[in-house]
């Protein structure tokens, strides 16, 4: 036992020297500029990995289930959704994987996640059957859920511009997804069977940006400061300053009022996530849009998405996180209704694309504010990455529950009514999230991420008791 402690102390002494050297290293005055450029390009890979399979959902279901298996489209989509649950055991590994960033740093996982997203995209490009597609899709889905580039943005920004910087970088990334419709019109040539080739270019971008992150990105000062503090703390006194771990994070979250109600709000919010994953099907089957029309719509999709993403960021820093969530949730409902009406009444596909882009920008503008920014701003640095695992798990669980409901409804509802069905499943979750955020969650705008403890919203008596226990 004593030898193990000595080995740990020797190892940590070496790490302490390395971390202090990293923290003391002077950065080029242009470092933040090119760091944010790298993060923007990584975010493009993330956005494409997140949305490309959604945009090709109709093509994927048609090839693997309608043509290869002879199924009706609704039944094929229901089976495709069911097969998606096979990846859930892999997704659960996130509870062990993401907390590692609180111990080993942000940079290693920024590189690994980006590289693996590129690999997942490349596997889908190679896929000739549903099995290889699922391997690539599962790898992409696992890696995009970590959003390490988001942690970088938040920890490298000051408290006054945190949400704005996050929104700007994400908006640039979303505009970068214009590459998808461009590739549809060129490499794919609007031929449904050629959808695989669109995955190749973002795969290459992912590989290149993983190399750039490895060579040029530095560890965040917020992590280095907290890690050095931890390493200097005697081993026997470290329990109150634990470095990550999902169990520690869950205990911490349920112990404190702010994170408890953020969890409840997220449960409601993610019940409404079906609309974000099914708009390709609505365009192809409910609105009966052609491949050419869908391509035209997708040219305006990133514009609407980026615009509403930018709006959410500026509103968040100006008026607060809670106002942003409420406003963008209402905007999401309005944009989705416009999307359905535009498609059903054969208005211009540009409006259809802009409307669904507006829905996505509004929905994830609110979602990123709840699950990304507010979770981060309500957690101490030593548990920040671990606490955000809870948000990701809630997304998977509640999104899975919504998917099960849709799987039951899809085979019995006419294809023409799919859009209205998804709208109906979206409303209750967003309304519930709005009510909880307004009544029970405290504002986090302007907090210093280096000093936040998570107890700021607890009752004074409880905070005092915890401080006494710590002493």
């Amino acid at each position: 036992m004593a030898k193990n402690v000595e080995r740990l102390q020797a190892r940590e002494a070496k790490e302490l020297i390395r971390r202090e050297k990293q923290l003391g290293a002077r950065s080029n005055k242009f470092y933040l500029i090119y760091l944010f450029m790298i993060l923007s390009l990584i975010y493009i890979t993330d956005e494409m990995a997140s949305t490309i399979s959604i945009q090709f959902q109709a093509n994927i279901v048609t090839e693997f289930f309608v043509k290869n298996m002879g199924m009706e489209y609704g039944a094929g989509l229901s089976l495709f959704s069911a097969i998606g649950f096979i990846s859930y055991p892999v997704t659960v590994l996130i509870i062990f994987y993401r907390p590692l960033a609180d111990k080993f740093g942000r940079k290693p996982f920024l590189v690994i996640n980006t590289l693996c997203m590129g690999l997942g995209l490349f596997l889908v490009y190679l896929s000739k059957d549903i099995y290889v597609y699922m391997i690539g899709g599962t790898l992409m889905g696992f890696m995009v859920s970590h959003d390490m580039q988001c942690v970088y943005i938040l920890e490298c920004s000051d408290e006054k511009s945190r949400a704005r910087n996050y929104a700007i970088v994400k908006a640039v990334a979303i505009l970068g997804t214009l590459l998808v419709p461009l590739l549809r019109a060129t490499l794919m040539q609007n031929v449904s069977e050629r959808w695989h080739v669109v995955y190749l270019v973002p795969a290459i971008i992912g590989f290149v940006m993983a190399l750039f992150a490895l060579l040029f990105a530095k560890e965040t000062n917020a992590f280095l400061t907290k890690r050095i503090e931890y390493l200097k703390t005697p081993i026997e006194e470290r329990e109150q300053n634990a470095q990550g771990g999902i169990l520690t994070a869950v205990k911490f979250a349920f112990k404190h009022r702010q994170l408890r109600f953020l969890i409840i709000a997220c449960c409601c919010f993610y019940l409404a996530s079906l609309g974000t994953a099914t708009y390709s099907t609505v365009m192809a089957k409910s609105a009966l849009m052609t491949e050419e029309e869908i391509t035209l719509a997708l040219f305006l999709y990133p514009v609407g998405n980026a615009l509403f993403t930018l709006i959410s960021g500026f509103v968040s820093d100006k008026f607060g996180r809670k106002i942003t969530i409420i406003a963008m949730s209402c905007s999401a409902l309005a944009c989705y209704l416009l999307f359905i009406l535009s498609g059903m009444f054969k208005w211009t596909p540009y409006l259809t694309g802009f409307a669904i882009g507006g829905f996505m920008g509004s929905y994830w503008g609110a979602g990123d504010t709840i699950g990304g920014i507010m979770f981060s701003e309500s957690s101490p640095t030593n548990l920040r990455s671990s606490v955000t695992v809870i948000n990701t798990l809630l997304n998977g669980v509640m999104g899975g529950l919504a998917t099960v409901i849709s799987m039951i409804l899809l085979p019995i509802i006419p294809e023409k009514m799919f859009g209205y069905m998804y709208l109906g499943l979206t409303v209750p979750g967003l309304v519930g999230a709005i009510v909880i955020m307004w009544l029970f969650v405290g504002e986090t705008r302007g907090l210093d991420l280096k000093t936040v403890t998570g107890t700021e919203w607890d009752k004074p008596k409880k905070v005092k008791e915890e401080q006494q226990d710590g002493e």
Side-chain angles (χ1 to χ4, degrees), residues 125-199:
Y125 161 70
L126 295 176
S127 66
K128 299 300 180 185
D129 54 52
I130 189 63
Y131 307 107
V132 177
Y133 170 85
M134 287 304 301
I135 294 172
T138 300
L139 186 59
M140 282 190 293
F142 181 77
M143 289 303 170
V144 299
S145 64
H146 297 291
D147 288 332
M148 191 52 63
Q149 71 278 1
C150 302
V151 176
Y152 255 86
I153 296 166
L154 295 177
E155 291 191 344
C156 293
S157 302
D158 62 60
E159 57 271 17
K160 294 181 180 178
S161 61
R162 193 177 298 132
R164 184 185 66 204
N165 289 347
Y166 179 89
I168 290 173
V169 173
K170 185 172 183 180
V172 170
I174 291 169
L175 287 175
T177 63
L178 277 166
L179 191 60
V180 173
L182 182 62
L183 293 172
R184 284 179 64 104
T186 53
L187 287 181
M188 181 180 163
Q189 298 177 335
N190 289 320
V191 177
S192 179
E193 292 77 11
R194 290 174 55 84
W195 62 270
H196 298 266
V197 298
V198 180
Y199 282 76

Coordinates of all heavy atoms in Angstrom, one line a residue, residues 125-199:
Y125 N -19.1 5.9 -45.8 CA -18.8 6.0 -47.2 C -18.6 4.7 -47.9 O -19.0 4.4 -49.0 CB -17.6 6.9 -47.4 CG -16.9 6.8 -48.7 CD1 -17.5 7.3 -49.9 CD2 -15.6 6.2 -48.8 CE1 -16.9 7.2 -51.1 CE2 -15.0 6.1 -50.1 CZ -15.6 6.6 -51.2 OH -15.0 6.4 -52.4
L126 N -17.9 3.8 -47.1 CA -17.6 2.4 -47.7 C -18.8 1.5 -47.6 O -18.7 0.4 -48.2 CB -16.4 1.9 -46.9 CG -15.0 2.6 -47.1 CD1 -14.0 1.9 -46.2 CD2 -14.6 2.6 -48.5
S127 N -19.8 1.8 -46.8 CA -20.8 0.8 -46.5 C -21.6 0.4 -47.7 O -22.1 1.2 -48.5 CB -21.8 1.4 -45.4 OG -22.5 2.5 -45.9
K128 N -21.8 -0.9 -47.8 CA -22.7 -1.5 -48.8 C -23.9 -2.2 -48.2 O -24.7 -2.7 -48.9 CB -21.9 -2.5 -49.7 CG -20.7 -1.9 -50.4 CD -21.1 -0.8 -51.4 CE -19.9 -0.2 -52.1 NZ -20.3 0.9 -52.9
D129 N -23.9 -2.3 -46.9 CA -25.0 -2.9 -46.2 C -25.3 -2.2 -44.9 O -24.5 -1.4 -44.5 CB -24.8 -4.4 -46.0 CG -23.5 -4.7 -45.3 OD1 -23.2 -4.1 -44.2 OD2 -22.6 -5.5 -45.8
I130 N -26.3 -2.6 -44.2 CA -26.8 -1.9 -43.0 C -25.8 -2.1 -41.9 O -25.6 -1.3 -41.0 CB -28.2 -2.3 -42.6 CG1 -28.7 -1.5 -41.5 CG2 -28.2 -3.8 -42.3 CD1 -28.9 0.0 -41.8
Y131 N -25.0 -3.2 -41.9 CA -24.1 -3.6 -40.8 C -22.9 -2.7 -40.8 O -22.6 -2.1 -39.7 CB -23.7 -5.1 -41.0 CG -24.8 -6.0 -41.1 CD1 -25.1 -6.6 -42.4 CD2 -25.7 -6.3 -40.1 CE1 -26.1 -7.5 -42.5 CE2 -26.7 -7.2 -40.2 CZ -27.0 -7.8 -41.4 OH -28.0 -8.6 -41.6
V132 N -22.3 -2.4 -41.9 CA -21.1 -1.5 -41.9 C -21.6 -0.1 -41.6 O -21.0 0.7 -40.9 CB -20.4 -1.6 -43.3 CG1 -19.3 -0.6 -43.3 CG2 -19.9 -3.0 -43.5
Y133 N -22.8 0.2 -42.2 CA -23.4 1.6 -41.9 C -23.6 1.8 -40.4 O -23.2 2.8 -39.9 CB -24.7 1.7 -42.6 CG -25.4 3.0 -42.2 CD1 -25.2 4.2 -42.8 CD2 -26.4 3.0 -41.2 CE1 -25.8 5.4 -42.4 CE2 -27.0 4.1 -40.7 CZ -26.7 5.3 -41.4 OH -27.3 6.5 -40.9
M134 N -24.1 0.8 -39.7 CA -24.3 0.9 -38.3 C -23.0 1.1 -37.5 O -23.0 1.8 -36.5 CB -25.1 -0.3 -37.8 CG -26.6 -0.3 -38.2 SD -27.5 1.2 -37.8 CE -27.3 1.2 -36.0
I135 N -22.0 0.4 -37.9 CA -20.7 0.5 -37.2 C -20.2 2.0 -37.4 O -19.8 2.6 -36.4 CB -19.7 -0.5 -37.8 CG1 -20.1 -1.9 -37.5 CG2 -18.3 -0.2 -37.2 CD1 -19.2 -2.9 -38.2
G136 N -20.2 2.5 -38.6 CA -19.8 3.9 -38.8 C -20.7 4.9 -38.1 O -20.2 5.8 -37.5
G137 N -22.0 4.7 -38.2 CA -22.9 5.6 -37.6 C -22.8 5.6 -36.1 O -23.0 6.6 -35.4
T138 N -22.6 4.4 -35.5 CA -22.5 4.3 -34.0 C -21.2 5.0 -33.6 O -21.2 5.7 -32.6 CB -22.4 2.8 -33.6 OG1 -23.6 2.2 -34.0 CG2 -22.2 2.7 -32.1
L139 N -20.1 4.9 -34.3 CA -18.9 5.6 -34.0 C -19.1 7.1 -34.1 O -18.6 7.8 -33.2 CB -17.8 5.1 -34.9 CG -16.3 5.6 -34.6 CD1 -15.9 5.2 -33.2 CD2 -15.4 5.1 -35.7
M140 N -19.7 7.5 -35.1 CA -20.0 9.0 -35.2 C -20.9 9.5 -34.1 O -20.6 10.5 -33.4 CB -20.7 9.3 -36.5 CG -19.8 9.3 -37.8 SD -20.7 10.0 -39.2 CE -21.9 8.7 -39.5
G141 N -21.9 8.7 -33.8 CA -22.9 9.1 -32.7 C -22.2 9.2 -31.4 O -22.5 10.1 -30.6
F142 N -21.3 8.2 -31.1 CA -20.6 8.2 -29.8 C -19.7 9.4 -29.7 O -19.7 10.1 -28.6 CB -19.8 6.9 -29.7 CG -19.1 6.8 -28.4 CD1 -19.8 6.5 -27.2 CD2 -17.7 7.1 -28.3 CE1 -19.1 6.3 -26.0 CE2 -17.1 7.0 -27.1 CZ -17.8 6.6 -25.9
M143 N -19.0 9.8 -30.7 CA -18.0 10.8 -30.7 C -18.7 12.2 -30.7 O -18.2 13.2 -30.0 CB -17.0 10.7 -31.8 CG -16.1 9.5 -31.6 SD -15.2 9.6 -30.0 CE -14.5 8.0 -29.9
V144 N -19.7 12.4 -31.5 CA -20.3 13.8 -31.5 C -21.0 14.2 -30.2 O -21.1 15.4 -30.0 CB -21.3 13.9 -32.7 CG1 -20.7 13.7 -34.0 CG2 -22.5 13.0 -32.5
S145 N -21.3 13.2 -29.4 CA -22.0 13.5 -28.2 C -21.1 14.1 -27.1 O -21.5 14.6 -26.1 CB -22.6 12.2 -27.6 OG -21.6 11.3 -27.2
H146 N -19.7 14.1 -27.4 CA -18.8 14.6 -26.4 C -18.6 16.1 -26.5 O -18.3 16.8 -25.5 CB -17.5 13.9 -26.4 CG -17.6 12.4 -26.2 ND1 -17.9 11.9 -24.9 CD2 -17.5 11.3 -27.0 CE1 -18.0 10.6 -24.9 NE2 -17.7 10.2 -26.2
D147 N -18.6 16.7 -27.7 CA -18.5 18.1 -27.9 C -17.4 18.7 -27.1 O -17.5 19.8 -26.5 CB -19.9 18.8 -27.4 CG -21.0 18.5 -28.4 OD1 -20.7 18.3 -29.6 OD2 -22.2 18.5 -27.9
M148 N -16.2 18.2 -27.3 CA -15.0 18.7 -26.6 C -14.7 20.1 -27.1 O -14.1 20.9 -26.3 CB -13.8 17.8 -26.7 CG -12.7 18.1 -25.8 SD -13.1 18.3 -24.0 CE -13.7 16.6 -23.6
Q149 N -15.0 20.4 -28.4 CA -14.7 21.7 -28.9 C -15.6 22.7 -28.1 O -15.1 23.9 -28.0 CB -15.0 21.8 -30.4 CG -16.4 21.7 -30.8 CD -16.9 20.2 -30.9 OE1 -16.2 19.3 -30.6 NE2 -18.2 20.1 -31.3
C150 N -16.7 22.3 -27.7 CA -17.6 23.3 -26.9 C -17.0 23.6 -25.6 O -17.0 24.8 -25.1 CB -19.0 22.7 -26.7 SG -19.8 22.2 -28.2
V151 N -16.4 22.6 -24.9 CA -15.7 22.8 -23.6 C -14.5 23.8 -23.8 O -14.3 24.7 -23.0 CB -15.2 21.5 -23.0 CG1 -14.4 21.7 -21.8 CG2 -16.4 20.5 -22.8
Y152 N -13.8 23.6 -24.9 CA -12.7 24.5 -25.2 C -13.2 25.9 -25.4 O -12.6 26.9 -24.8 CB -12.0 24.1 -26.5 CG -10.7 23.4 -26.4 CD1 -10.6 22.0 -26.1 CD2 -9.5 24.1 -26.4 CE1 -9.4 21.4 -26.0 CE2 -8.3 23.5 -26.3 CZ -8.2 22.1 -26.0 OH -7.0 21.5 -25.8
I153 N -14.3 26.1 -26.1 CA -14.8 27.5 -26.4 C -15.2 28.1 -25.0 O -14.9 29.3 -24.8 CB -16.0 27.4 -27.3 CG1 -15.6 26.9 -28.7 CG2 -16.6 28.8 -27.5 CD1 -16.7 26.6 -29.6
L154 N -15.9 27.4 -24.2 CA -16.4 27.9 -22.9 C -15.3 28.2 -22.0 O -15.3 29.3 -21.3 CB -17.4 26.9 -22.3 CG -18.7 26.7 -23.1 CD1 -19.5 25.6 -22.3 CD2 -19.5 28.0 -23.2
E155 N -14.3 27.4 -21.9 CA -13.2 27.6 -21.0 C -12.1 28.6 -21.5 O -11.3 29.0 -20.7 CB -12.5 26.2 -20.7 CG -13.4 25.3 -19.9 CD -12.7 24.1 -19.3 OE1 -11.6 23.7 -19.8 OE2 -13.3 23.4 -18.4
C156 N -12.1 28.9 -22.7 CA -11.2 29.9 -23.3 C -11.8 31.2 -23.5 O -11.2 32.1 -24.0 CB -10.6 29.4 -24.6 SG -9.5 27.9 -24.4
S157 N -13.1 31.4 -23.1 CA -13.8 32.7 -23.3 C -14.0 33.3 -21.9 O -14.1 32.6 -20.9 CB -15.1 32.5 -24.0 OG -14.9 31.9 -25.2
D158 N -14.1 34.7 -21.9 CA -14.4 35.3 -20.6 C -15.9 35.2 -20.4 O -16.7 35.0 -21.3 CB -13.9 36.8 -20.6 CG -14.6 37.6 -21.7 OD1 -15.8 37.8 -21.7 OD2 -13.8 38.2 -22.5
E159 N -16.3 35.5 -19.1 CA -17.7 35.4 -18.8 C -18.7 36.3 -19.5 O -19.9 35.9 -19.6 CB -17.9 35.6 -17.2 CG -17.4 36.9 -16.7 CD -16.0 36.9 -16.3 OE1 -15.2 36.0 -16.7 OE2 -15.6 37.9 -15.6
K160 N -18.2 37.4 -20.1 CA -19.1 38.3 -20.7 C -19.4 37.9 -22.2 O -20.4 38.4 -22.8 CB -18.5 39.7 -20.7 CG -18.4 40.3 -19.3 CD -17.9 41.7 -19.4 CE -17.8 42.4 -18.0 NZ -17.2 43.7 -18.0
S161 N -18.5 37.1 -22.8 CA -18.7 36.8 -24.2 C -18.8 35.3 -24.5 O -18.6 34.8 -25.6 CB -17.5 37.4 -25.0 OG -16.3 36.8 -24.6
R162 N -19.0 34.5 -23.4 CA -18.9 33.0 -23.5 C -20.0 32.5 -24.5 O -19.6 31.8 -25.4 CB -19.1 32.4 -22.1 CG -18.8 31.0 -22.0 CD -19.0 30.5 -20.6 NE -18.0 31.2 -19.7 CZ -18.4 31.7 -18.6 NH1 -19.6 31.7 -18.2 NH2 -17.5 32.4 -17.8
A163 N -21.2 32.9 -24.3 CA -22.3 32.4 -25.1 C -22.2 32.9 -26.6 O -22.5 32.2 -27.5 CB -23.7 32.7 -24.5
R164 N -21.7 34.2 -26.7 CA -21.6 34.8 -28.0 C -20.5 34.1 -28.8 O -20.7 33.8 -30.0 CB -21.2 36.3 -27.8 CG -21.1 37.0 -29.2 CD -20.7 38.4 -28.9 NE -19.3 38.5 -28.4 CZ -18.8 39.5 -27.7 NH1 -19.5 40.5 -27.4 NH2 -17.5 39.4 -27.3
N165 N -19.3 33.8 -28.2 CA -18.3 33.1 -28.9 C -18.7 31.7 -29.3 O -18.4 31.2 -30.4 CB -17.0 33.0 -28.0 CG -16.3 34.4 -27.8 OD1 -16.6 35.3 -28.5 ND2 -15.4 34.5 -26.8
Y166 N -19.4 31.1 -28.4 CA -19.9 29.7 -28.7 C -20.8 29.8 -29.9 O -20.7 28.9 -30.8 CB -20.7 29.2 -27.4 CG -21.3 27.8 -27.6 CD1 -20.6 26.7 -27.3 CD2 -22.6 27.7 -28.0 CE1 -21.1 25.4 -27.4 CE2 -23.1 26.4 -28.2 CZ -22.4 25.3 -27.8 OH -23.0 24.1 -28.0
A167 N -21.7 30.7 -29.9 CA -22.7 30.8 -31.0 C -22.0 31.2 -32.3 O -22.4 30.7 -33.4 CB -23.8 31.9 -30.7
I168 N -21.0 32.1 -32.3 CA -20.3 32.5 -33.5 C -19.6 31.3 -34.1 O -19.7 31.0 -35.3 CB -19.3 33.6 -33.2 CG1 -20.1 34.9 -32.9 CG2 -18.4 33.8 -34.4 CD1 -19.2 36.1 -32.4
V169 N -18.8 30.5 -33.3 CA -18.1 29.4 -33.8 C -19.1 28.3 -34.3 O -18.8 27.8 -35.4 CB -17.2 28.8 -32.7 CG1 -16.6 27.5 -33.1 CG2 -16.1 29.8 -32.2
K170 N -20.1 28.1 -33.6 CA -21.1 27.1 -34.1 C -21.8 27.6 -35.3 O -22.0 26.8 -36.3 CB -22.1 26.8 -33.0 CG -23.1 25.7 -33.4 CD -24.0 25.2 -32.3 CE -24.9 24.0 -32.8 NZ -25.8 23.6 -31.7
A171 N -22.1 28.9 -35.5 CA -22.8 29.4 -36.7 C -21.8 29.2 -37.9 O -22.3 28.9 -39.0 CB -23.1 30.8 -36.5
V172 N -20.6 29.5 -37.7 CA -19.6 29.3 -38.8 C -19.6 27.8 -39.2 O -19.5 27.5 -40.4 CB -18.2 29.8 -38.3 CG1 -17.1 29.3 -39.3 CG2 -18.1 31.3 -38.2
A173 N -19.6 26.9 -38.2 CA -19.6 25.5 -38.5 C -20.8 25.1 -39.2 O -20.8 24.3 -40.2 CB -19.5 24.7 -37.2
I174 N -22.0 25.6 -38.8 CA -23.2 25.3 -39.5 C -23.2 25.8 -40.9 O -23.6 25.0 -41.9 CB -24.4 25.9 -38.7 CG1 -24.6 25.2 -37.4 CG2 -25.7 25.8 -39.6 CD1 -25.6 25.9 -36.5
L175 N -22.7 27.0 -41.2 CA -22.6 27.4 -42.6 C -21.6 26.5 -43.4 O -21.8 26.4 -44.6 CB -22.1 28.9 -42.6 CG -23.1 30.0 -42.1 CD1 -22.4 31.3 -42.1 CD2 -24.3 30.0 -43.1
G176 N -20.7 26.0 -42.7 CA -19.8 25.0 -43.3 C -20.5 23.8 -43.9 O -20.0 23.1 -44.8
T177 N -21.6 23.5 -43.3 CA -22.4 22.3 -43.7 C -23.1 22.6 -45.1 O -23.8 21.7 -45.6 CB -23.4 21.8 -42.7 OG1 -24.4 22.9 -42.5 CG2 -22.7 21.5 -41.4
L178 N -22.9 23.8 -45.6 CA -23.4 24.0 -47.0 C -22.7 23.1 -47.9 O -23.1 22.9 -49.1 CB -23.1 25.5 -47.4 CG -24.1 26.5 -47.0 CD1 -23.6 27.9 -47.1 CD2 -25.4 26.4 -47.8
L179 N -21.6 22.5 -47.5 CA -20.9 21.5 -48.2 C -21.7 20.3 -48.6 O -21.6 19.7 -49.7 CB -19.6 21.0 -47.4 CG -18.6 20.2 -48.2 CD1 -18.0 21.0 -49.3 CD2 -17.5 19.8 -47.2
V180 N -22.7 20.0 -47.8 CA -23.6 18.8 -48.0 C -24.4 19.0 -49.3 O -24.4 18.2 -50.2 CB -24.4 18.5 -46.8 CG1 -25.4 17.4 -47.1 CG2 -23.5 18.0 -45.6
P181 N -25.2 20.1 -49.4 CA -26.0 20.3 -50.6 C -25.1 20.5 -51.8 O -25.5 20.1 -52.9 CB -26.9 21.5 -50.3 CG -26.2 22.2 -49.2 CD -25.6 21.1 -48.4
L182 N -23.9 21.1 -51.6 CA -23.0 21.3 -52.7 C -22.5 20.0 -53.3 O -22.5 19.7 -54.5 CB -21.8 22.2 -52.3 CG -20.8 22.5 -53.3 CD1 -21.4 23.3 -54.5 CD2 -19.6 23.2 -52.7
L183 N -22.2 19.1 -52.3 CA -21.8 17.7 -52.7 C -22.9 16.9 -53.3 O -22.7 16.1 -54.2 CB -21.2 17.0 -51.5 CG -19.8 17.5 -51.0 CD1 -19.4 16.9 -49.7 CD2 -18.7 17.4 -52.1
R184 N -24.2 17.1 -52.8 CA -25.3 16.5 -53.4 C -25.5 16.9 -54.9 O -25.8 16.0 -55.7 CB -26.6 16.9 -52.6 CG -26.8 16.2 -51.3 CD -28.1 16.7 -50.7 NE -29.3 16.3 -51.4 CZ -30.1 15.4 -51.1 NH1 -29.9 14.7 -50.0 NH2 -31.1 15.1 -51.9
A185 N -25.2 18.1 -55.2 CA -25.4 18.6 -56.5 C -24.3 18.3 -57.5 O -24.5 18.2 -58.7 CB -25.6 20.1 -56.5
T186 N -23.1 18.0 -56.9 CA -21.9 17.7 -57.7 C -21.5 16.2 -57.7 O -21.8 15.5 -58.6 CB -20.7 18.6 -57.2 OG1 -20.5 18.4 -55.8 CG2 -21.0 20.1 -57.5
L187 N -20.9 15.8 -56.6 CA -20.5 14.4 -56.5 C -21.7 13.4 -56.6 O -21.7 12.4 -57.3 CB -19.8 14.1 -55.2 CG -18.4 14.7 -55.1 CD1 -17.8 14.3 -53.7 CD2 -17.5 14.2 -56.2
M188 N -22.8 13.7 -55.9 CA -24.0 12.8 -55.9 C -24.8 13.0 -57.1 O -25.5 12.1 -57.6 CB -24.8 13.1 -54.6 CG -26.0 12.2 -54.5 SD -26.9 12.6 -52.9 CE -28.5 11.9 -53.3
Q189 N -24.8 14.3 -57.6 CA -25.6 14.6 -58.8 C -27.1 14.4 -58.7 O -27.8 14.0 -59.6 CB -25.1 13.9 -60.1 CG -23.6 14.2 -60.4 CD -23.0 13.5 -61.6 OE1 -23.5 12.4 -61.9 NE2 -22.0 14.0 -62.2
N190 N -27.6 14.5 -57.4 CA -29.0 14.3 -57.1 C -29.5 13.0 -57.5 O -30.7 12.8 -57.7 CB -29.8 15.4 -57.7 CG -29.6 16.8 -57.1 OD1 -29.5 16.9 -55.9 ND2 -29.5 17.8 -57.9
V191 N -28.6 12.0 -57.5 CA -29.0 10.6 -57.8 C -29.1 9.9 -56.4 O -28.0 9.7 -55.7 CB -28.0 9.9 -58.7 CG1 -28.4 8.4 -58.9 CG2 -28.0 10.6 -60.0
S192 N -30.2 9.4 -56.0 CA -30.4 8.9 -54.7 C -29.4 7.8 -54.3 O -28.9 7.7 -53.2 CB -31.9 8.3 -54.5 OG -32.1 7.8 -53.3
E193 N -29.1 6.9 -55.3 CA -28.3 5.7 -55.0 C -26.8 6.1 -54.7 O -26.0 5.3 -54.2 CB -28.3 4.7 -56.1 CG -29.6 4.0 -56.3 CD -30.7 4.9 -57.0 OE1 -30.3 6.0 -57.5 OE2 -31.9 4.5 -57.0
R194 N -26.4 7.4 -55.0 CA -25.0 7.8 -54.9 C -24.8 8.6 -53.5 O -23.8 9.3 -53.4 CB -24.7 8.7 -56.1 CG -24.5 8.0 -57.4 CD -24.3 8.9 -58.5 NE -23.1 9.8 -58.3 CZ -21.9 9.5 -58.6 NH1 -21.6 8.2 -59.0 NH2 -20.9 10.3 -58.3
W195 N -25.7 8.4 -52.6 CA -25.6 9.2 -51.3 C -24.3 8.9 -50.6 O -23.8 9.8 -49.8 CB -26.8 8.9 -50.4 CG -27.0 7.5 -50.0 CD1 -27.7 6.5 -50.6 CD2 -26.5 6.9 -48.8 NE1 -27.6 5.4 -49.9 CE2 -26.9 5.6 -48.8 CE3 -25.7 7.4 -47.8 CZ2 -26.5 4.7 -47.8 CZ3 -25.3 6.5 -46.7 CH2 -25.8 5.2 -46.8
H196 N -23.8 7.7 -50.7 CA -22.5 7.3 -50.0 C -21.4 8.3 -50.2 O -20.6 8.6 -49.3 CB -22.1 5.9 -50.4 CG -23.0 4.9 -50.1 ND1 -23.0 4.1 -49.0 CD2 -24.1 4.4 -50.9 CE1 -23.9 3.2 -49.0 NE2 -24.6 3.3 -50.1
V197 N -21.2 8.8 -51.5 CA -20.0 9.6 -51.8 C -20.0 10.9 -51.0 O -18.9 11.4 -50.9 CB -20.0 9.9 -53.3 CG1 -19.9 8.6 -54.1 CG2 -21.1 10.7 -53.8
V198 N -21.1 11.4 -50.6 CA -21.1 12.7 -49.9 C -20.4 12.6 -48.5 O -19.8 13.6 -48.0 CB -22.6 13.2 -49.6 CG1 -22.6 14.5 -48.9 CG2 -23.3 13.3 -51.0
Y199 N -20.2 11.4 -48.0 CA -19.6 11.2 -46.7 C -18.1 11.3 -46.8 O -17.4 11.5 -45.8 CB -19.9 9.8 -46.1 CG -21.3 9.7 -45.5 CD1 -22.5 9.7 -46.3 CD2 -21.5 9.7 -44.1 CE1 -23.7 9.6 -45.7 CE2 -22.7 9.7 -43.5 CZ -23.8 9.6 -44.3 OH -25.1 9.6 -43.8

